[in-house]
Structure formats: structure tokens, C-alpha cells
Amino acid sequence: MKLRGPASALVVVEGTDLHHDLIGAALALQEIVTEAGLPTARAVGLDRFTDPLPATAEADVYVLYRSSTTFDPRQQQALSDLVAGGKGLVVLHASNLFGYGEGGMAEDRAAYELIGSRYLSHGDQGSEGRFDVRVRERHPVTRHLEDFAIDDEYYVLRYADDVRVLADRETPTGTEPLVYVREHGAGRVCYSALGHDPRAWGNPGFRQLVRQAALWAAGVGDEGIASWSTRWPLGNGRSIGDSTA
């Protein structure tokens, strides 16, 4: 079954942080979102949002992978306006490094209000390790996904009051959100703290999560999400449509 109309995606990477492989992320994310049945292009840099060319203007959903402490306020506002106008946005991992530039949080306010969270630290368990992703709530982004283990970075976040948390992890001091959704004007936003490097990008649970997040953010309904997913294994080793699903 075909998805609705010509829905398409654009993976956008940007940053200068040597701890993140932007080229690898762009290639992996393009592959993952293409698996979702969405024609997907990839691009570098955020100026494309301030004066969108067709490849940017015509995409239904943007998949953002940033690794930088600077985010030009004009780019922030342009992306915010596009999402408020109806574009979908999937935000991954370090894309919410806000408040670390010379202007502090005041300079990153538009991006924070769009995405709904900011990175604070790795916490007290070190920078990375293996942990369980626990699905807290059934939603089109998580409905066909069970809990799964992943090797990834630990993130501690500060997030807005209006986010709807879909998955979290257990920490010595309580739970830490990993995946949430929110609305921004007419657009849909999904953020996941996961996705540091190839260990995460190749994880079946992570791939399923990103595929479903991209489809949901692009406006594809539950039936459309289920229709393509029988072609790809879920993170729990099953396929949508199994009698045990």
C-alpha cells in the first residue's frame, strides 16, 4: 500500500563538534527514513531554512541532527515558522544544545520553544553505556515498539511542561525522558535523545523509532504507518501483523 501522496523528508545535519560524525549520521538517517517509504534527501547547514529552495520548501518533514553550541537566531525563527506552518520535525540527540553560546538561553529561545528541551549534562554515570529504553505510552511513534536495549550516550535534559513523554530510561535518581512529542502551531515535533553513533544507528529499536517518528511527523496516519512496516523487522524481532504483535 502506498503512503498518502508525495510525502517526503529532508535529513539536515550541522555542527562542528568533533564528538559526533555528521556525515555518518546523514547517511544512516537517510537510509532509515527511506526505509519508512518516504523519499529522503540529505543536506548540510541551516541557512536553507531562511530562504528555502524547493528541496527544503517541498519536504513534509525535517530530520535534524545538530552538534553545535551556536544556532543563528534567524535560522531558529525560520525553522520555527516552517514547522508552525505545518512541517514535521524529528529532532535527534545533541540537536538541543541550547544556552551555551555568548547570548545564553535568550539567544536560543526560539529553538527551545520549538523543540521543547535542552541538554544539561551526561549525568553521574559517565558519558555513555548500555541501557534499556522503556516505552511509557502507546502513540503512533511507539505503538509497534517494545522496550529495547541500546548502547548510546547518557543525556540529562530540561524540558518544557507541554511535552508528551513516550519513552524513558531508569537512572539512580529516577527516570529520564528519552522520547517525546509535542505540537508547534500546525506542525508536529518529535525529539529523541538517542543517536550518538553507529552503535545506535544500527540498533533495530532505534531505527524503528525514527521511521515511525518521521511518518507521524509527516502527517501519515496509523494505517499508513502499519502498511509499510511489515517489510522491516521491529526492534523486538517481530513484524507488524504478527499474531503476537
Side-chain angles (χ1 to χ4, degrees):
M1 181 185 298
K2 289 184 66 176
L3 299 178
R4 61 140 183 111
S8 63
L10 180 65
V11 172
V12 181
V13 299
E14 183 273 340
T16 57
D17 181 0
L18 298 179
H19 297 290
H20 294 93
D21 177 5
L22 297 180
I23 295 174
L27 292 169
L29 293 170
Q30 182 184 34
E31 179 183 73
I32 292 168
V33 180
T34 299
E35 289 176 353
L38 298 176
T40 306
R42 64 180 186 271
V44 178
L46 303 179
D47 274 342
R48 69 191 59 259
F49 297 121
T50 61
D51 186 18
L53 295 174
T56 302
E58 296 172 8
D60 293 275
V61 57
Y62 306 124
V63 180
L64 183 62
Y65 193 96
R66 291 181 61 249
S67 181
S68 176
T69 57
T70 60
F71 195 166
D72 189 299
R74 295 170 301 171
Q75 298 169 346
Q76 295 179 42
Q77 191 59 56
L79 178 58
S80 177
D81 291 344
L82 285 166
V83 177
K87 300 293 187 183
L89 180 64
V90 178
V91 186
L92 296 171
H93 199 49
S95 298
N96 60 353
L97 291 172
F98 303 141
Y100 294 97
E102 292 183 0
M105 277 302 297
E107 190 170 85
D108 293 334
R109 180 58 54 185
Y112 177 78
E113 292 179 352
L114 166 64
I115 293 171
S117 69
R118 61 179 294 236
Y119 167 86
L120 295 180
S121 73
H122 290 301
D124 298 327
Q125 296 177 272
S127 62
E128 60 185 58
R130 189 167 183 83
F131 54 87
D132 291 326
V133 178
R134 306 185 310 178
V135 177
R136 175 188 290 187
E137 186 174 342
R138 293 302 174 187
H139 179 277
V141 172
T142 54
R143 185 161 294 142
H144 306 293
L145 191 63
E146 301 298 331
D147 297 353
F148 63 94
I150 193 169
D151 295 287
D152 212 329
E153 277 193 322
Y154 299 118
Y155 270 22
V156 175
L157 306 177
R158 175 172 296 158
Y159 55 103
D161 294 335
D162 65 345
V163 304
R164 179 179 174 184
V165 177
L166 304 181
D168 59 25
R169 65 180 175 91
E170 189 66 35
T171 78
T173 57
T175 59
E176 179 63 35
L178 291 172
V179 182
Y180 64 77
V181 293
R182 66 189 305 271
E183 295 181 356
H184 183 74
R188 295 172 169 182
V189 178
C190 178
Y191 171 81
S192 172
L194 306 173
H196 175 62
D197 63 18
R199 295 170 300 172
W201 306 334
N203 183 289
F206 173 82
R207 296 175 78 91
Q208 180 74 11
L209 178 69
V210 173
R211 290 195 297 261
Q212 295 191 175
L215 287 163
W216 171 78
V220 176
D222 285 357
E223 181 180 351
I225 292 174
S227 71
W228 63 264
S229 291
T230 54
R231 294 177 297 162
W232 302 100
L234 306 185
N236 51 25
R238 297 185 283 105
S239 295
I240 295 174
D242 286 353
S243 59
T244 57

